[in-house]
Amino acid sequence: MSVLDTIRGPSDLKALPAEQLPGLAEEIRGFLVEQVSRTGGHLGPNLGVVELTIALHRVFSTPADTIVFDTGHQSYVHKLLTGRHDFTGLRTKGGLSGYPNRSESEHDVVENSHASTSLSWATGIASGRRIAGEPQRYTVAVIGDGALTGGMAWEAINNIAADKDLPLIIVVNDNERSYAPTAGGLANRLATLRTARSYERVLDWGKNTLNRTPVVGKAMYDALHGVKKGIKDIVAPQGMFEDLGLKYLGPVDGHDEQAVESALRRARAFGGPVLVHVITQKGRGYTPALRDEADQFHSVGVINPETGLPIEINGRSWTDEFGEEMVRLGATRPDLVAITAAMMIPVGLKGFADAYPERTFDVGIAEQHAVTMAAGLAYAGLHPVVAVYATFLNRAFDQLLMDCALHRAGVTFVLDRSGVTGPDGASHHGMWDMAITSIVPGLRLAAPRDGDQVSAALRVAVGIDDGPSVIRFPKGAAGTSIDAVRQVGTLDVLADPDTDPEGDVDVLLVGLGSMAGTALTVGEKLTAGGRRVRVADPGWALPVSADLVGLAGRAGAVAVIEDNVSPGAVGSQLGRALADAGLTVPVHGYGLPKAFFDHATRGQVLDAARLTPDHIVADLEPRL
């Protein structure tokens, strides 16, 4: 039996002799490579936190103590050490989540995998336990240096530093990366801390040499020791944290388990907020990950564990289509600039960054700053393209509304991973963007149905200079193009009745974005049942166009199919537009309900939401 097999909870880990811990760490890394290569998941970050997580669970006692991971993609080792050894269904329906999950374990707390939130969570938990008379229960926030670039983290630090007896420990897991290398002034400061230890050598010399000097040696050493703070500020500015009022420990080698354990025990004994700076290596122990300069296997699909190469190539993605069009546009539009929030590669901007580095900005995990900065760039005469995951636009809604829309800033937002994303679960589904952007005055939103339409929409969007524009598309392969049979003004008709193609119909099906294919299948099934059906793709879905209202007026009913929360989204907007036009055509909306969906395949989530052709036909046909 391996050492890992004997670990069914933190108590087993605490009982393990220290000399067995290096072997356990090696077993865990082998387990992660073997299992994650079969299912896909966040491999690189977890390989980097093995010793750190072991030390955390040997020093603290969850669930009495609380560990909050920021972000949760570094929690696989935590799952193993808290008894969850079955990774065969990782990130699949019924299997382990890729993030902490309260339904899995009492040791898990924060399920939201949006970054930079851990310090606020931890402040609330620690403060609440102190009020409840339980100050002996410690709270630990494990935050990556990438997540520490987020403004919300610093809002929390501002409060934490002022609360001198809060039983809270901040562990900065510093691997110089979020998805890719961490950028910005904070990253530069941490880099100095990692590399500059000159002041330690100076003080060691003072202690060992000056103290041996007769008469004046001790006084000289005391004077030197008295300026230690000043030397630190110059050479290794951990004074940045100490000036905020936080006790600082480190830097600590994050792969020396005993050193990490010692630092954490000192932090626990301090009796107030402490920051422990731990240096780790993303992808540790797995050569293919370490050789991957892009993101060191931050997230992988199914791979060959020996080589690290993917088992299947899925073809061109929606992201590829966007990224390549950006490069082409950049050649003819010197005013075009790109902004992302620590996700240059995942959102497809690496090609643009390589070609036009002076016009590319990675602001770190700071979506609010990114959006308002874009408004400033627009004011300066440029056209910014802000590329983020759809779920992360939620974090910057105020800036979209008040900084971009109110000021009629020509900013294009490209929302990758819109709709149902699948295995990453509730916090990563991009299912709110159409609903929240539908209330923004002057905003225009496109939902391209295929890769060709992504390029076409982007060419239009970068020409909009009197307000924000949005382009949304899903995760994965773009698939084959869907041709229009004709155009009606600004929208594409994808299918018409065989007889009298331009006549009135029983139902107009409006398929938005990636749901256009679903609308076509629904149309085929209804046509087979004797209904006259037209299928349309508005392309630019918001605001609702007069062309779509006119086409809807020639139908007995309208059904809008969208992979977004249905209340308040395009179906609702079309219903309002028809009413404003004096038309009484019923509108049936088919979208996602107001619910949080667990990790599963995209198809499984859509089936659970009754957003598949058979479900839609079964509901719609009796209403016609």
Side-chain angles (χ1 to χ4, degrees):
M1 177 181 290
S2 68
V3 177
L4 179 58
D5 288 336
T6 69
I7 306 299
R8 293 296 165 180
S11 60
D12 296 327
L13 180 65
K14 290 176 186 291
L16 208 63
E19 58 268 22
Q20 292 191 32
L21 298 178
L24 173 63
E26 185 176 349
E27 288 180 19
I28 290 173
R29 286 195 171 90
F31 177 94
L32 290 174
V33 171
E34 179 184 0
Q35 295 296 321
V36 179
S37 67
R38 296 175 180 174
T39 61
H42 290 97
L43 182 56
N46 287 285
L47 292 173
V49 297
V50 176
E51 290 85 1
L52 170 58
T53 311
I54 290 173
L56 284 166
H57 278 291
R58 282 174 64 87
V59 173
F60 299 97
S61 300
T62 60
D65 297 326
T66 297
I67 300 174
V68 179
F69 289 95
D70 187 341
T71 65
H73 61 233
Q74 58 183 325
S75 65
Y76 292 8
V77 184
H78 163 76
K79 288 175 185 275
L80 283 171
L81 298 179
T82 52
R84 286 165 281 178
H85 290 194
D86 184 2
F87 272 52
T88 56
L90 178 68
R91 301 169 74 244
T92 63
K93 186 177 182 180
L96 288 179
S97 167
Y99 299 100
N101 190 300
R102 291 182 183 181
S103 67
E104 286 181 8
S105 173
E106 63 181 350
H107 300 278
D108 291 2
V109 178
V110 180
E111 301 180 14
N112 180 357
S113 56
H114 288 192
S116 309
T117 65
S118 64
L119 302 187
S120 298
W121 268 98
T123 305
I125 294 168
S127 299
R129 287 180 172 164
R130 184 174 55 188
I131 290 171
E134 300 175 322
Q136 74 282 2
R137 298 179 67 183
Y138 268 80
T139 306
V140 184
V142 182
I143 183 168
D145 58 303
L148 201 58
T149 62
M152 188 175 174
W154 289 92
E155 293 174 24
I157 286 176
N158 182 56
N159 285 158
I160 294 166
D163 196 341
K164 302 303 182 184
D165 63 351
L166 189 68
L168 171 62
I169 294 167
I170 301 169
V171 176
V172 176
N173 172 28
D174 181 4
N175 61 19
E176 306 179 61
R177 290 173 168 266
S178 49
Y179 289 86
T182 307
L186 174 64
N188 294 337
R189 299 278 276 189
L190 290 176
T192 303
L193 285 172
R194 283 191 296 271
T195 59
R197 298 302 299 270
S198 302
Y199 76 93
E200 296 283 7
R201 291 192 292 272
V202 169
L203 292 176
D204 285 345
W205 171 81
K207 186 174 184 180
N208 296 327
T209 303
L210 292 182
N211 277 342
R212 294 197 301 267
T213 303
V215 184
V216 297
K218 180 67 166 61
M220 290 175 64
Y221 173 71
D222 288 344
L224 179 60
H225 197 272
V227 299
K228 175 181 175 183
K229 174 80 163 54
I231 294 172
K232 283 184 177 181
D233 287 344
I234 296 168
V235 181
Q238 55 264 58
M240 172 178 66
F241 296 111
E242 292 179 347
D243 287 345
L244 288 170
L246 284 174
K247 175 68 175 177
Y248 173 93
L249 296 177
V252 181
D253 180 355
H255 301 297
D256 182 338
E257 193 279 335
Q258 290 295 290
V260 178
E261 197 172 317
S262 175
L264 291 174
R265 293 190 189 281
R266 289 168 59 201
R268 179 170 184 151
F270 181 68
V274 181
L275 186 146
V276 181
H277 183 190
V278 179
I279 310 299
T280 63
Q281 182 183 38
K282 193 173 182 179
R284 178 85 170 190
Y286 185 42
T287 300
L290 295 176
R291 289 177 176 171
D292 179 25
E293 294 184 5
D295 65 3
Q296 292 184 325
F297 281 25
H298 178 84
S299 180
V300 298
V302 178
I303 60 173
N304 181 324
E306 299 297 326
T307 64
L309 297 175
I311 299 298
E312 295 181 1
I313 304 297
N314 294 322
R316 288 179 61 78
S317 69
W318 298 83
T319 309
D320 293 335
E321 301 289 350
F322 159 67
E324 292 180 10
E325 187 61 30
M326 276 291 290
V327 174
R328 286 191 290 268
L329 287 169
T332 59
R333 289 283 302 268
D335 64 327
L336 193 65
V337 295
I339 306 175
T340 189
M343 291 189 293
M344 191 74 70
I345 295 170
V347 298
L349 284 179
K350 186 176 186 304
F352 188 89
D354 289 344
Y356 315 106
E358 73 285 354
R359 289 192 267 151
T360 307
F361 302 90
D362 185 344
V363 300
I365 301 178
E367 292 85 0
Q368 292 172 300
H369 166 58
V371 174
T372 301
M373 178 183 174
L377 287 164
Y379 178 75
L382 303 174
H383 191 100
V385 175
V386 180
V388 295
Y389 286 4
T391 182
F392 296 144
L393 183 66
N394 304 350
R395 300 164 65 100
F397 176 72
D398 180 71
Q399 289 70 30
L400 168 62
L401 183 67
M402 293 299 172
D403 293 319
C404 288
L406 177 64
H407 294 87
R408 299 183 179 180
V411 177
T412 296
F413 295 87
V414 176
L415 306 183
D416 204 317
R417 273 73 161 175
S418 70
V420 172
T421 56
D424 282 329
S427 65
H428 270 48
H429 294 310
M431 53 186 279
W432 293 279
D433 58 279
M434 286 201 287
I436 64 175
T437 57
S438 71
I439 66 173
V440 176
L443 180 142
R444 280 158 276 193
L445 181 143
R449 66 179 179 268
D450 56 38
D452 291 339
Q453 297 303 311
V454 170
S455 298
L458 185 60
R459 290 192 294 271
V460 172
V462 297
I464 298 172
D465 60 6
D466 61 349
S469 57
V470 176
I471 302 171
R472 72 187 306 266
F473 49 77
K475 179 181 180 179
T480 57
S481 296
I482 301 174
D483 295 329
V485 297
R486 62 188 177 99
Q487 286 190 310
V488 176
T490 60
L491 58 81
D492 288 342
V493 175
L494 306 182
D496 270 324
D498 290 336
T499 59
D500 192 12
E502 298 186 18
D504 293 345
V505 293
D506 296 321
V507 60
L508 171 67
L509 299 175
V510 181
L512 294 172
S514 62
M515 303 307 289
T518 299
L520 283 169
T521 303
V522 171
E524 292 169 359
K525 291 177 178 291
L526 291 174
T527 298
R531 301 291 185 177
R532 290 173 52 80
V533 180
R534 178 168 293 126
V535 181
D537 168 21
W540 286 86
L542 293 173
V544 173
S545 69
D547 297 317
L548 183 57
V549 171
L551 207 61
R554 303 184 61 181
V558 178
V560 179
I561 305 172
E562 51 191 318
D563 57 346
N564 197 85
V565 287
S566 188
V570 178
S572 300
Q573 298 292 316
L574 178 56
R576 186 174 297 110
L578 290 172
D580 290 345
L583 299 173
T584 58
V585 181
V587 177
H588 306 291
Y590 294 94
L592 298 169
K594 287 193 289 185
F596 293 108
F597 291 94
D598 290 335
H599 54 284
T601 66
R602 175 178 166 87
Q604 288 169 333
V605 174
L606 292 175
D607 185 61
R610 303 185 66 80
L611 199 53
T612 58
D614 287 342
H615 285 307
I616 294 170
V617 170
D619 182 84
L620 179 60
E621 209 281 334
R623 302 185 183 200
L624 301 179

Short mmCIF file of all heavy atoms in Angstrom, two decimals, residues 224-250:
data_model
loop_
_atom_site.label_atom_id
_atom_site.label_comp_id
_atom_site.label_asym_id
_atom_site.label_seq_id
_atom_site.Cartn_x
_atom_site.Cartn_y
_atom_site.Cartn_z
N LEU A 224 23.77 48.65 13.15
CA LEU A 224 23.44 48.05 11.86
C LEU A 224 22.08 47.38 11.92
O LEU A 224 21.26 47.53 11.02
CB LEU A 224 24.52 47.04 11.46
CG LEU A 224 24.30 46.29 10.13
CD1 LEU A 224 24.23 47.28 8.98
CD2 LEU A 224 25.43 45.28 9.91
N HIS A 225 21.83 46.66 12.99
CA HIS A 225 20.55 46.00 13.13
C HIS A 225 19.41 47.01 13.20
O HIS A 225 18.30 46.76 12.75
CB HIS A 225 20.55 45.11 14.38
CG HIS A 225 19.44 44.09 14.37
ND1 HIS A 225 18.19 44.36 14.86
CD2 HIS A 225 19.42 42.81 13.91
CE1 HIS A 225 17.43 43.28 14.73
NE2 HIS A 225 18.15 42.34 14.16
N GLY A 226 19.70 48.18 13.73
CA GLY A 226 18.68 49.21 13.83
C GLY A 226 18.25 49.75 12.49
O GLY A 226 17.15 50.28 12.36
N VAL A 227 19.13 49.67 11.49
CA VAL A 227 18.73 50.15 10.16
C VAL A 227 18.29 48.98 9.27
O VAL A 227 18.18 49.11 8.06
CB VAL A 227 19.89 50.92 9.47
CG1 VAL A 227 20.27 52.13 10.27
CG2 VAL A 227 21.10 50.02 9.23
N LYS A 228 18.03 47.86 9.89
CA LYS A 228 17.59 46.69 9.12
C LYS A 228 16.38 47.01 8.26
O LYS A 228 16.29 46.62 7.10
CB LYS A 228 17.29 45.54 10.08
CG LYS A 228 16.72 44.29 9.42
CD LYS A 228 16.42 43.23 10.47
CE LYS A 228 15.74 42.02 9.85
NZ LYS A 228 15.37 41.00 10.87
N LYS A 229 15.41 47.72 8.84
CA LYS A 229 14.20 48.06 8.10
C LYS A 229 14.54 48.85 6.84
O LYS A 229 14.01 48.60 5.76
CB LYS A 229 13.25 48.84 9.01
CG LYS A 229 11.99 49.37 8.33
CD LYS A 229 10.94 48.28 8.19
CE LYS A 229 9.57 48.86 7.90
NZ LYS A 229 9.53 49.76 6.75
N GLY A 230 15.46 49.81 6.98
CA GLY A 230 15.84 50.60 5.82
C GLY A 230 16.52 49.78 4.76
O GLY A 230 16.29 49.96 3.57
N ILE A 231 17.39 48.86 5.19
CA ILE A 231 18.06 47.99 4.22
C ILE A 231 17.04 47.13 3.50
O ILE A 231 17.09 46.95 2.29
CB ILE A 231 19.11 47.11 4.94
CG1 ILE A 231 20.23 48.00 5.49
CG2 ILE A 231 19.68 46.08 3.98
CD1 ILE A 231 21.22 47.24 6.36
N LYS A 232 16.06 46.62 4.25
CA LYS A 232 15.02 45.80 3.62
C LYS A 232 14.28 46.60 2.55
O LYS A 232 13.99 46.11 1.46
CB LYS A 232 14.01 45.31 4.66
CG LYS A 232 14.48 44.16 5.51
CD LYS A 232 13.34 43.73 6.43
CE LYS A 232 13.72 42.54 7.27
NZ LYS A 232 12.60 42.12 8.13
N ASP A 233 13.93 47.84 2.89
CA ASP A 233 13.16 48.65 1.95
C ASP A 233 13.93 48.86 0.65
O ASP A 233 13.34 48.94 -0.42
CB ASP A 233 12.83 50.02 2.57
CG ASP A 233 11.75 49.90 3.64
OD1 ASP A 233 11.07 48.86 3.66
OD2 ASP A 233 11.60 50.84 4.44
N ILE A 234 15.27 48.97 0.76
CA ILE A 234 16.08 49.23 -0.42
C ILE A 234 16.32 47.95 -1.21
O ILE A 234 16.18 47.90 -2.43
CB ILE A 234 17.42 49.87 -0.02
CG1 ILE A 234 17.17 51.23 0.62
CG2 ILE A 234 18.35 50.00 -1.22
CD1 ILE A 234 18.38 51.80 1.32
N VAL A 235 16.70 46.89 -0.51
CA VAL A 235 17.16 45.68 -1.18
C VAL A 235 16.05 44.68 -1.42
O VAL A 235 15.94 44.09 -2.49
CB VAL A 235 18.30 45.03 -0.36
CG1 VAL A 235 18.82 43.79 -1.06
CG2 VAL A 235 19.43 46.03 -0.17
N ALA A 236 15.22 44.45 -0.42
CA ALA A 236 14.16 43.44 -0.53
C ALA A 236 12.90 44.00 0.11
O ALA A 236 12.70 43.87 1.31
CB ALA A 236 14.59 42.15 0.15
N PRO A 237 12.05 44.65 -0.67
CA PRO A 237 11.00 45.49 -0.11
C PRO A 237 9.80 44.72 0.43
O PRO A 237 8.66 44.99 0.07
CB PRO A 237 10.61 46.37 -1.31
CG PRO A 237 10.89 45.53 -2.50
CD PRO A 237 12.09 44.71 -2.15
N GLN A 238 10.03 43.76 1.35
CA GLN A 238 8.90 43.23 2.08
C GLN A 238 8.32 44.30 3.00
O GLN A 238 7.24 44.15 3.55
CB GLN A 238 9.23 41.97 2.88
CG GLN A 238 10.40 42.10 3.83
CD GLN A 238 11.67 41.62 3.22
OE1 GLN A 238 12.07 42.13 2.17
NE2 GLN A 238 12.32 40.63 3.81
N GLY A 239 9.07 45.40 3.13
CA GLY A 239 8.55 46.55 3.85
C GLY A 239 7.23 47.02 3.27
O GLY A 239 6.44 47.66 3.97
N MET A 240 6.98 46.71 1.99
CA MET A 240 5.69 47.05 1.38
C MET A 240 4.55 46.48 2.21
O MET A 240 3.54 47.15 2.45
CB MET A 240 5.63 46.48 -0.04
CG MET A 240 4.27 46.59 -0.71
SD MET A 240 4.31 45.97 -2.40
CE MET A 240 4.63 44.22 -2.12
N PHE A 241 4.68 45.23 2.66
CA PHE A 241 3.64 44.61 3.46
C PHE A 241 3.71 45.08 4.92
O PHE A 241 2.68 45.33 5.55
CB PHE A 241 3.76 43.09 3.39
CG PHE A 241 3.54 42.54 2.01
CD1 PHE A 241 4.60 41.98 1.31
CD2 PHE A 241 2.29 42.58 1.42
CE1 PHE A 241 4.39 41.47 0.03
CE2 PHE A 241 2.08 42.07 0.15
CZ PHE A 241 3.14 41.51 -0.55
N GLU A 242 4.92 45.19 5.44
CA GLU A 242 5.06 45.60 6.83
C GLU A 242 4.57 47.03 7.04
O GLU A 242 4.00 47.37 8.07
CB GLU A 242 6.51 45.44 7.27
CG GLU A 242 6.93 43.97 7.33
CD GLU A 242 8.38 43.77 7.73
OE1 GLU A 242 9.14 44.77 7.73
OE2 GLU A 242 8.75 42.62 8.04
N ASP A 243 4.77 47.89 6.04
CA ASP A 243 4.28 49.26 6.14
C ASP A 243 2.76 49.30 6.18
O ASP A 243 2.17 50.25 6.71
CB ASP A 243 4.78 50.09 4.97
CG ASP A 243 6.27 50.42 5.09
OD1 ASP A 243 6.82 50.24 6.20
OD2 ASP A 243 6.87 50.83 4.08
N LEU A 244 2.13 48.30 5.61
CA LEU A 244 0.67 48.21 5.68
C LEU A 244 0.19 47.71 7.04
O LEU A 244 -1.00 47.74 7.33
CB LEU A 244 0.15 47.26 4.59
CG LEU A 244 0.24 47.78 3.15
CD1 LEU A 244 -0.07 46.65 2.17
CD2 LEU A 244 -0.72 48.94 2.94
N GLY A 245 1.12 47.23 7.86
CA GLY A 245 0.75 46.72 9.17
C GLY A 245 0.65 45.22 9.23
O GLY A 245 0.15 44.67 10.21
N LEU A 246 1.13 44.53 8.20
CA LEU A 246 1.07 43.07 8.17
C LEU A 246 2.43 42.48 8.55
O LEU A 246 3.47 42.89 8.01
CB LEU A 246 0.68 42.57 6.78
CG LEU A 246 -0.77 42.70 6.36
CD1 LEU A 246 -0.92 42.30 4.90
CD2 LEU A 246 -1.66 41.83 7.23
N LYS A 247 2.42 41.53 9.45
CA LYS A 247 3.63 40.76 9.74
C LYS A 247 3.97 39.94 8.51
O LYS A 247 3.10 39.26 7.94
CB LYS A 247 3.40 39.84 10.94
CG LYS A 247 4.55 38.91 11.26
CD LYS A 247 5.76 39.66 11.77
CE LYS A 247 6.86 38.68 12.20
NZ LYS A 247 8.08 39.39 12.62
N TYR A 248 5.24 39.98 8.08
CA TYR A 248 5.67 39.29 6.86
C TYR A 248 6.66 38.20 7.22
O TYR A 248 7.61 38.44 7.96
CB TYR A 248 6.30 40.29 5.90
CG TYR A 248 6.94 39.66 4.67
CD1 TYR A 248 6.23 39.52 3.49
CD2 TYR A 248 8.25 39.19 4.71
CE1 TYR A 248 6.81 38.94 2.37
CE2 TYR A 248 8.85 38.61 3.61
CZ TYR A 248 8.11 38.49 2.43
OH TYR A 248 8.70 37.90 1.32
N LEU A 249 6.44 37.00 6.68
CA LEU A 249 7.37 35.89 6.82
C LEU A 249 7.74 35.38 5.44
O LEU A 249 6.87 35.08 4.63
CB LEU A 249 6.76 34.74 7.64
CG LEU A 249 6.41 35.02 9.10
CD1 LEU A 249 5.74 33.81 9.72
CD2 LEU A 249 7.65 35.42 9.89
N GLY A 250 9.04 35.26 5.17
CA GLY A 250 9.43 34.73 3.88
C GLY A 250 10.55 35.54 3.25
O GLY A 250 11.12 36.42 3.89
#
